[in-house]
Amino acid sequence: MALIKSVRGFTPKIDPSVYVAENATIVGDVEIGKDSSIWFGAILRGDVNSIRIGNHVNIQDGVVLHTLYQKSKVIIEDNVSVGHNAIIHGAIVHSNVLVGMGATILDNAEIGENCIIAANALVKAGEKVEPNSLYAGVPAKKVKDVSPEQIENIIKRTADNYHLYSTWFKEEDEKEQNAFDDKAL
């Protein structure tokens, strides 16, 4: 079972439709919207400030979300995929974004809608990433515009795929729970 823990009087609020992997950690002032998924080894630390996650968001394996005390919050809007081992520290990520594997987004950065942040990119603190853009590198710079086809075939498809994957795990969890309940009788 995932570690879901209250801190400083804040208890995570997780929509019942959310899939949370058994070894994910969700702590403190965290809210997660409908049809989202929190994958294996992800850590969402809302201990020093708030984390808000919208609908149809996937926080993949090994991702870390954290903030600065009284200085930054994590806000992730709808239809966002945060790739394996990415770090979002006190930043805003608007809707329809793909954050690549190993990318880092630092405090008070803001990612516009319909963006792709490439794998291993570093978005510096306070950076404003313009909507409909692909950013890559260390530090991250705009490489090109994101096309409508890329929004559909990369950003939205990734979010849809992860929602599908989460249903597989939720079905297995339900089967296991039913088998346990049957044995307990």
Side-chain angles (χ1 to χ4, degrees):
M1 177 186 281
L3 174 60
I4 299 172
K5 185 173 181 65
S6 299
V7 174
R8 297 187 319 126
F10 294 101
T11 300
K13 296 176 185 169
I14 303 167
D15 187 88
S17 65
V18 173
Y19 169 70
V20 179
E22 292 86 352
N23 66 345
T25 300
I26 304 171
V27 176
D29 191 4
V30 177
E31 294 182 13
I32 305 171
K34 293 178 183 175
D35 297 325
S36 292
S37 55
I38 312 301
W39 291 88
F40 300 96
I43 300 172
L44 287 63
R45 274 187 54 203
D47 54 348
V48 299
N49 216 330
S50 62
I51 297 173
R52 299 293 179 263
I53 296 172
N55 301 316
H56 203 61
V57 171
N58 60 87
I59 306 297
Q60 296 173 20
D61 311 67
V63 167
V64 174
L65 305 181
H66 197 237
T67 64
L68 282 176
Y69 182 60
Q70 298 180 338
K71 293 187 178 180
S72 67
K73 299 176 181 182
V74 171
I75 300 170
I76 299 175
E77 293 183 348
D78 300 335
N79 205 54
V80 173
S81 297
V82 182
H84 311 293
N85 293 314
I87 298 170
I88 299 177
H89 202 281
I92 298 170
V93 179
H94 290 286
S95 294
N96 301 317
V97 170
L98 172 64
V99 177
M101 293 183 280
T104 301
I105 303 172
L106 295 176
D107 293 286
N108 300 307
E110 185 170 354
I111 311 302
E113 63 184 19
N114 301 319
C115 283
I116 297 172
I117 305 301
N120 295 312
L122 170 64
V123 179
K124 297 188 306 185
E127 183 84 21
K128 304 294 184 218
V129 171
E130 63 183 82
N132 304 297
S133 299
L134 168 64
Y135 274 63
V138 177
K141 302 284 184 209
K142 183 175 179 178
V143 174
K144 66 178 190 171
D145 290 334
V146 173
S147 70
E149 293 80 18
Q150 289 172 312
I151 293 167
E152 285 299 318
N153 296 325
I154 297 174
I155 296 172
K156 290 184 179 180
R157 187 188 66 193
T158 301
D160 289 344
N161 285 349
Y162 267 86
H163 181 258
L164 173 65
Y165 307 155
S166 74
T167 65
W168 300 342
F169 284 85
K170 287 166 55 176
E171 287 171 7
E172 286 301 317
D173 289 349
E174 188 175 304
K175 286 180 192 175
E176 289 173 10
Q177 184 61 46
N178 289 339
F180 177 79
D181 290 346
D182 289 346
K183 286 181 184 177
L185 296 175

